Amino acid sequence: MHHQWLLLATCFWVIFMFMVASKFITLTFKDPDAYSAKQEFLFLTAAPDTGRSLRETHFPEELKLTGNRLPGGRLVQPLVYMQRLELVRNVCREDTLRNLSHTAVSKFVLDRIFVCDKHEILFCQTPKVGNTQWKKVLIVLNGAFPSIEEIPESVVHDHEKNGLPRLSSFSDAEIQKRLKTYFKFFIVRDPFERLISAFKDKFVHNPRFEPWYRHEIAPGIIRKYRRNRTETRGIQFEDFVRYLGDPNHRWLDLQFGDHIIHWVTYVELCAPCEIKYSVIGHHETLEDDAPHILKEAGIDHLVSYPTIPPGITAYNRTKVEHYFLGISKRDIRRLYARFEGDFKLFGYQKPDFLLN
C-alpha cells in the first residue's frame, strides 16, 4: 500500500511540472508576429520611438534586410525597397533631369493604372515586365475568376471581360481619394532590355496575333528611319532604335496611339515623381519582390504570384550586346538620352559598354 501511494504522488508531481512547463512555453511564444518575422528574415533594427519596443537580431551587414515594426504590428519595408523609393525621390528633385523624370498625371497615365477596390490596390501597367501575371492576380482578387489557372489568356487583356477597371474611369474626387489612400505599385526592368523584349514581341514573334504592329506601325517606322532605301527586309531593331531616339518621335507616336505603351518610358506610363508609390518592384529580382508586394498589400494569404522559371528574369548582357551590335554609337546615345530618366530613377547602370 505504501508503494502505491508513493507511485500516485509521483504521478501527480509529474503532471504538475508538465502544466508549469506548458504555461511557460505558451508565454514565451505568444507573439506570433515576432516569430514569423524571424522566420522570414525581416530583421528589426533601431527606429524612432513608436510606443513599442523593438528587438534586434544581429547578422553580418551583407545579410541584413532591415524593417521596423509599426504600432499596429506591421513591418516597415526591408531596406532595399525603402532605398528604391528614396532614390526616386532624390532623382525627382534633380532639376537637370526634370524633363526626363516628370510628367503630368494625364488620362494616358490614369489609363495605365488598374484598380482593385476590394483590397484597395492600384497597379500601374508597364508592358514587357511580366504585367500579364500581375493582371491575373488582380483579376482573381476582383472576383472575376476563382483562380489564376482558370483565367483564359484571351480574357487577360480584354478590358471588357477581365473585370479590371482603370483609374481613369472614376471621377476626379474618386481618383484623388484612391491615389492618396490605396496601396500602389509597379514593376520595372533594365530599360534597354525591355525595348528588346517589346521589339521581339510585337514585330518578330507577335504571339497574340496583333497584325497592326507589322502592317501599320512597322512600315511607318521604316519609311521615316531606314537609311538604306534598297533594303527590303521587314523592320529591324536598328530602325526601331532610330525611331525611339529621335527627339521628334512624338508625331509618329500620335499616329500609333496607345500601342506605344510597349516602348514609352516608365515616367510616361506611371508618373513616379507625381504619384507616391508604395513599392517599386524590379523584374530582375521578381522572385523576391513578388511575394513582398503581395505581403505589403495584405493579400499574400489570398493569392500567389505564378511560378517564375529559374533565371528567366535575370539581366542578359549578352543578349543586349547582340541586339545593339552594328548600331551606330550616335543612335545608341540618342536612345539613352531619351531613357536616361528611367535608368537613373530606378538605379539601372548606365550601359557604357554600348555607349563608348
Side-chain angles (χ1 to χ4, degrees):
M1 179 68 73
H2 174 74
H3 291 296
Q4 290 177 339
W5 279 109
L6 183 61
L7 181 61
L8 190 60
T10 302
C11 290
F12 275 115
W13 175 254
V14 171
I15 293 170
F16 174 75
M17 292 303 294
F18 180 78
M19 291 173 64
V20 171
S22 298
K23 184 66 174 177
F24 175 76
I25 292 170
T26 302
L27 290 171
T28 303
F29 293 107
K30 71 178 182 179
D31 185 358
D33 286 340
Y35 180 70
S36 66
K38 289 183 183 178
Q39 290 289 84
E40 294 175 23
F41 296 94
L42 296 177
F43 308 128
L44 305 181
T45 60
D49 183 17
T50 59
R52 211 180 141 115
S53 63
L54 302 176
R55 284 195 295 275
E56 180 173 344
T57 305
H58 294 282
F59 285 81
E61 284 299 318
E62 65 270 21
L63 295 180
K64 280 191 177 182
L65 281 176
T66 307
N68 300 325
R69 190 174 293 281
L70 297 174
R74 183 167 174 259
L75 284 166
V76 173
Q77 297 185 52
L79 185 59
V80 62
Y81 303 105
M82 297 172 68
Q83 288 176 332
R84 289 175 185 174
L85 296 174
E86 183 63 22
L87 176 62
V88 168
R89 286 192 289 269
N90 289 337
V91 174
C92 288
R93 288 194 286 262
E94 290 187 26
D95 290 337
T96 56
L97 289 173
R98 188 167 186 83
N99 289 339
L100 296 173
S101 60
H102 288 261
T103 191
V105 183
S106 62
K107 185 179 183 300
F108 182 81
V109 171
L110 297 175
D111 277 344
R112 310 281 77 77
I113 300 176
F114 295 101
V115 181
C116 176
D117 277 330
K118 185 176 181 180
H119 299 282
E120 298 188 346
I121 297 170
L122 299 180
F123 166 59
C124 184
Q125 177 189 22
T126 50
K128 315 323 312 160
V129 192
N131 279 250
T132 297
Q133 306 303 332
W134 284 111
K135 288 169 83 170
K136 289 179 180 179
V137 168
L138 293 183
I139 289 169
V140 170
L141 289 173
N142 276 351
F145 287 87
S147 70
I148 286 174
E149 293 73 25
E150 296 179 55
I151 306 173
E153 287 297 323
S154 59
V155 170
V156 178
H157 302 287
D158 187 337
H159 299 296
E160 300 295 324
K161 299 178 181 178
N162 65 17
L164 287 181
R166 299 174 190 262
L167 190 55
S168 58
S169 65
F170 297 88
S171 69
D172 289 346
E174 291 173 323
I175 289 171
Q176 291 305 316
K177 176 187 174 184
R178 286 165 174 77
L179 285 174
K180 287 179 181 178
T181 61
Y182 280 19
F183 176 86
K184 301 172 287 293
F185 77 100
F186 66 102
I187 314 294
V188 296
R189 73 187 292 187
D190 177 86
F192 279 7
E193 196 167 35
R194 172 176 169 252
L195 295 180
I196 292 170
S197 178
F199 178 78
K200 288 169 59 180
D201 185 59
K202 299 306 174 187
F203 299 111
V204 180
H205 303 306
N206 202 247
R208 295 196 187 95
F209 187 67
E210 299 164 311
W212 48 87
Y213 286 101
R214 286 181 181 172
H215 301 311
E216 296 175 25
I217 294 177
I221 294 173
I222 290 171
R223 279 193 299 271
K224 182 167 176 60
Y225 295 103
R226 177 156 295 177
R227 286 177 178 160
N228 183 359
R229 298 297 180 180
T230 62
E231 174 64 70
T232 58
R233 290 183 300 170
I235 187 170
Q236 302 297 298
F237 189 64
E238 183 178 13
D239 305 320
F240 191 55
V241 166
R242 285 203 198 97
Y243 152 56
L244 295 177
D246 183 0
N248 299 312
H249 62 85
R250 295 195 183 279
W251 76 272
L252 264 188
D253 289 351
L254 291 173
Q255 294 180 42
F256 298 157
D258 279 0
H259 299 308
I260 64 172
I261 64 171
H262 298 281
W263 50 77
V264 297
T265 65
Y266 300 127
V267 170
E268 294 169 280
L269 291 168
C270 297
C273 289
E274 285 67 36
I275 297 174
K276 188 177 180 181
Y277 286 92
S278 312
V279 178
I280 298 171
H282 281 223
H283 186 259
E284 295 81 2
T285 54
L286 198 57
E287 288 182 73
D288 296 322
D289 292 4
H292 173 75
I293 290 169
L294 296 178
K295 183 173 182 179
E296 284 294 306
I299 55 174
D300 54 319
H301 62 295
L302 299 173
V303 67
S304 297
Y305 189 84
T307 303
I308 302 168
I312 197 170
T313 63
Y315 174 71
N316 189 336
R317 172 170 166 162
T318 302
K319 178 177 69 176
V320 173
E321 289 177 322
H322 170 73
Y323 269 84
F324 280 92
L325 185 66
I327 299 178
S328 73
K329 298 297 182 185
R330 172 183 174 272
D331 288 336
I332 299 174
R333 287 171 188 147
R334 288 176 66 163
L335 182 69
Y336 177 77
R338 177 177 176 189
F339 287 86
E340 183 181 7
D342 282 358
F343 275 94
K344 293 193 172 181
L345 279 164
F346 307 112
Y348 287 102
Q349 189 171 358
K350 183 178 180 180
D352 288 323
F353 64 94
L354 297 175
L355 299 168
N356 299 326

